[in-house]
């Protein structure tokens, strides 16, 4: 895989989502759609399913899945190098690609000619790419440094926006196109003691976005003030409208019982473009044991 060099037993692709024409309505399988880290395969939770972009995917552009609202690239200038381009430090890029075999140089040249003549990379990926991402028109979603093999990363983080560049990895030849870029989203754990200290400030509860993903019966047993309850099992209801209800630019804190479900949702929020997300380590159980014994345990 692009992001799993030591275990690449199949065709490379950091994402392998099944095509869908509607926003994600469950969280199962999300980890398989998220990028795999190159240094260590940090597998995400198996209970999430969502598009890796900041907006729901659609199939409005033929057979290729695109982030809704993102215009079809109008610039199809081919280049084989991107010297002098900004390194995009601290950025994430929205990438699509096409993969052909190492010995398919003639096919690669023909595809380059097609793109130079106005063909779209995503349409060509569906027909010719060897990567499982062909199901989504070669769309890999938002990626950051450290998630891809070096050659692909160099191409993705130096290519001018919308231009198609060529690079070679051990998997074969890639045609790579960066559709957009954004500041990198961050996800951190926050300890229960630190959260408790913040909770003592009334302005924190008013200004921060606090989300509890436990089920209603759990919340009845123990809860923290200011947290909006969004049960994980009801993701199909609140997931598609998350960016309408919450501001991706604000700090967001996610809580559950022991910190596992909240991490799943936190990773999903990161994929949706939320700028800074905090997962409450150990959940409300750790909060009760380490920070506030007045909160019941269960």
């Amino acid at each position: 895989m692009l992001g799993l060099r030591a275990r690449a037993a199949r065709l490379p692709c950091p994402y392998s989502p099944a095509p869908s024409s509607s926003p994600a309505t469950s969280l199962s399988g999300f980890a398989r759609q998220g990028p795999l880290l190159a240094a260590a395969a940090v597998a995400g939770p198996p209970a999430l399913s969502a598009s890796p972009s900041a907006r729901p995917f659609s199939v409005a552009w033929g057979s290729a899945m695109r982030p809704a609202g993102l215009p079809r690239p109008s610039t199809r200038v081919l280049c084989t190098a991107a010297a002098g381009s900004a390194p995009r430090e601290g950025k994430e890029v929205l990438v699509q690609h096409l993969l052909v075999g190492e010995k398919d140089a003639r096919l690669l040249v023909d595809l380059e000619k097609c793109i130079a003549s106005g063909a779209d990379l995503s349409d060509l990926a569906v027909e010719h790419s060897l990567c499982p991402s062909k199901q989504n028109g070669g769309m890999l979603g938002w990626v950051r440094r450290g998630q891809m093999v070096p050659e692909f990363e160099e191409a993705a983080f130096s290519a001018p926006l919308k231009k198609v560049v060529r690079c070679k990895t051990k998997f074969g030849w890639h045609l790579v196109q960066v559709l957009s870029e954004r500041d990198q989203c961050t996800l951190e754990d926050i300890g229960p003691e630190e959260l408790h200290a913040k909770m003592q400030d009334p302005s924190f509860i008013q200004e921060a976005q606090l989300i509890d993903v436990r089920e209603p019966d759990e919340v009845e047993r123990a809860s923290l003030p200011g947290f909006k309850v969004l049960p994980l099992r009801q993701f199909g209801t609140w997931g598609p409208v998350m960016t309408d209800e919450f501001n991706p630019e604000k700090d967001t804190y996610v809580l559950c019982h022991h910190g596992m479900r909240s991490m799943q949702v936190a990773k999903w929020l990161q994929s949706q473009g939320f700028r800074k997300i905090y997962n409450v380590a150990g959940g409300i159980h750790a909060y009760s044991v380490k920070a506030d014994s007045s909160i019941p345990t269960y």
Side-chain angles (χ1 to χ4, degrees), residues 138-213:
M139 179 65 69
L140 298 182
W142 291 99
V143 297
R144 63 182 67 90
R145 288 188 179 276
Q147 295 178 317
M148 300 164 288
V149 292
E151 301 88 350
F152 193 96
E153 180 174 294
E154 178 61 27
F157 281 87
S158 60
L161 285 177
K162 310 297 174 63
K163 289 188 178 181
V164 177
V165 301
R166 177 199 294 190
C167 77
K168 184 178 183 296
T169 70
K170 65 180 180 180
F171 304 111
W173 288 99
H174 305 258
L175 294 179
V176 184
Q177 188 174 39
V178 176
L179 301 177
S180 185
E181 65 179 55
R182 69 186 184 190
D183 290 334
Q184 184 170 311
C185 305
T186 61
L187 167 59
E188 302 175 8
D189 275 338
I190 182 171
E193 300 94 338
E194 183 179 355
L195 176 63
H196 180 68
K198 290 180 177 291
M199 295 283 289
Q200 307 315 302
D201 183 354
S203 63
F204 169 78
I205 298 178
Q206 294 175 0
E207 296 172 5
Q209 298 184 135
L210 308 175
I211 301 173
D212 189 333
V213 300

Side-chain angles (χ1 to χ4, degrees), residues 240-262:
V241 296
M242 195 65 180
T243 53
D244 296 329
E245 301 292 330
F246 291 85
N247 185 352
E249 300 300 320
K250 286 188 174 183
D251 290 358
T252 305
Y253 296 76
V254 191
L255 172 75
C256 71
H257 191 194
H258 290 293
M260 291 177 285
R261 283 173 289 174
S262 56

Side-chain angles (χ1 to χ4, degrees), residues 215-216 230-239:
E215 301 305 311
L230 298 177
L232 188 58
R233 291 180 183 175
Q234 298 177 24
F235 173 76
T237 300
W238 55 261

Side-chain angles (χ1 to χ4, degrees), residues 21 23 30 56 90 105 108 119 252 264:
S21 58
F30 170 76
L108 181 72
T252 305
Q264 293 170 1

Side-chain angles (χ1 to χ4, degrees), residues 212-216 218-219 222-223 229 231 256-257 261 284 298:
D212 189 333
V213 300
R214 294 176 300 145
E215 301 305 311
E218 295 181 90
V219 176
S223 62
V229 179
C256 71
H257 191 194
R261 283 173 289 174
I284 197 168
Y298 63 95

